[in-house]
Amino acid sequence: MSQKNVTKPPRILQVHKDRDYDCVYVGRQKIMLGKSGSPEAEAKFRRLQIQVLTDPTLAFLNPQHVKVDHLCIAYLEYAEENDPGHFSSIKTAVKILLKHYTGQPVDTLDTRHFLFLQEQFVKHGVSRKYCNALMGYIRAMLKWGAIRKLVSTQVYGEAKLIPALKEGKTKAYENPEREPVPDDVVRRTLPFMSPTVRAMVQIQRMTGMRPKEICRMTVGNIDRTRDSELWYYIPRHKTERLIGKKSIPLG
């Protein structure tokens, strides 16, 4: 086969100048982004970068060409839409990762890098359980990348080898056990709350809902057709696919 017919793995997009405008090349196609330095050009570049990283037609993309920051950009875009409940914590984990490994090819990461990253989570001043959660988000990102051929399975395997921090064997502190607020304190506090918050507290006390469940309750989640005298709140929950829908009678 002649050299001209050999398909080369595409490079991650780089911005080029065309007079006063920015452009990128995807394969042999030149794509204009807009006026140099404009928000429109930056937004279009970000969209194209994510498309190149996640397009299944580019499965031949070599992980050696993907840097840590490229992976993080693509995964944050995915997580914001598909895992909004954990997005804030995912951003925290990614921010610490980028602080130390921006520009480094993902394929060069190994257990030494992940152990160091775990130490940085501890130094960030969060609890042991949260440190373990942050490490879990990094592993989830690497798994997501491995499925899309952006990360080698070896790198994902190296991250999985890192053990969770054990109680009493790390400098990360332990969160104290949460105690229920005494009923007397709740009753004396109710008059000082706004009507909306007061109603939320009263409903939570009567139903035993989790805080997130009461905060996310909307009219669309309430089933008023099952019984003429009872309304049921049907919240979404993470184990729904395993145990089915949760039904909370409201009265």
Side-chain angles (χ1 to χ4, degrees):
M1 182 182 293
S2 66
Q3 186 66 26
K4 291 183 180 180
N5 294 328
V6 176
T7 302
K8 295 183 179 180
R11 294 182 178 181
I12 300 302
L13 298 181
Q14 295 183 2
V15 178
H16 300 274
K17 300 292 183 183
D18 186 349
R19 297 183 180 180
D20 294 332
Y21 292 85
D22 291 339
C23 65
V24 294
Y25 289 89
V26 179
R28 296 182 179 181
Q29 183 182 4
K30 179 180 179 180
I31 301 176
M32 302 302 297
L33 300 175
K35 196 168 181 65
S36 296
S38 67
E40 293 78 11
E42 293 178 6
K44 189 171 182 179
F45 173 75
R46 184 184 179 195
R47 290 196 301 270
L48 283 170
Q49 181 92 311
I50 292 168
Q51 183 180 351
V52 168
L53 284 167
T54 58
D55 191 337
T57 63
L58 298 177
F60 54 86
L61 185 66
N62 193 324
Q64 294 179 352
H65 293 80
V66 180
K67 293 183 170 55
V68 169
D69 34 325
H70 297 140
L71 176 66
C72 290
I73 289 171
Y75 185 68
L76 286 175
E77 188 81 9
Y78 166 84
E80 185 174 15
E81 180 177 349
N82 294 275
D83 195 3
H86 297 114
F87 186 63
S88 178
S89 296
I90 292 171
K91 285 198 299 183
T92 298
V94 166
K95 182 179 179 180
I96 297 173
L97 175 69
L98 289 174
K99 180 179 179 181
H100 300 282
Y101 298 125
T102 294
Q104 181 164 335
V106 179
D107 207 38
T108 63
L109 299 179
D110 57 30
T111 52
R112 295 169 299 174
H113 299 92
F114 296 125
L115 283 171
F116 176 79
L117 182 63
Q118 191 178 55
E119 292 174 5
Q120 301 312 303
F121 291 154
V122 174
K123 291 180 180 179
H124 193 62
V126 297
S127 69
R128 176 185 64 85
K129 288 185 177 181
Y130 194 55
C131 286
N132 289 336
L134 294 178
M135 199 67 208
Y137 297 134
I138 296 299
R139 280 192 287 267
M141 179 174 68
L142 293 172
K143 180 180 179 179
W144 178 88
I147 291 172
R148 290 159 178 79
K149 301 300 182 182
L150 305 176
V151 178
S152 68
T153 54
Q154 179 179 346
V155 173
Y156 173 54
E158 298 264 328
K160 289 175 64 178
L161 291 174
I162 306 303
L165 298 174
K166 303 295 184 182
E167 184 175 356
K169 296 184 179 181
T170 174
K171 294 180 180 179
Y173 68 87
E174 295 292 328
N175 278 325
E177 293 294 330
R178 294 182 180 179
E179 299 292 336
V181 179
D183 282 345
D184 182 57
V185 173
V186 175
R187 281 195 298 269
R188 288 188 282 111
T189 307
L190 285 174
F192 300 94
M193 298 179 183
S194 67
T196 301
V197 175
R198 187 186 309 128
M200 292 171 69
V201 171
Q202 291 171 329
I203 292 174
Q204 188 178 5
R205 291 181 73 202
M206 290 187 294
T207 61
M209 289 189 208
R210 293 184 174 92
K212 281 187 178 180
E213 290 174 338
I214 189 69
C215 290
R216 293 177 177 175
M217 184 167 61
T218 64
V219 175
N221 299 129
I222 299 175
D223 182 0
R224 292 171 286 180
T225 63
R226 191 184 310 185
D227 192 305
S228 60
E229 297 182 358
L230 275 179
W231 290 1
Y232 292 88
Y233 172 37
I234 315 294
R236 298 293 302 274
H237 58 95
K238 60 184 179 182
T239 57
E240 186 173 322
R241 62 185 179 85
L242 300 175
I243 65 174
K245 294 183 179 295
K246 184 177 182 179
S247 181
I248 302 173
L250 298 178

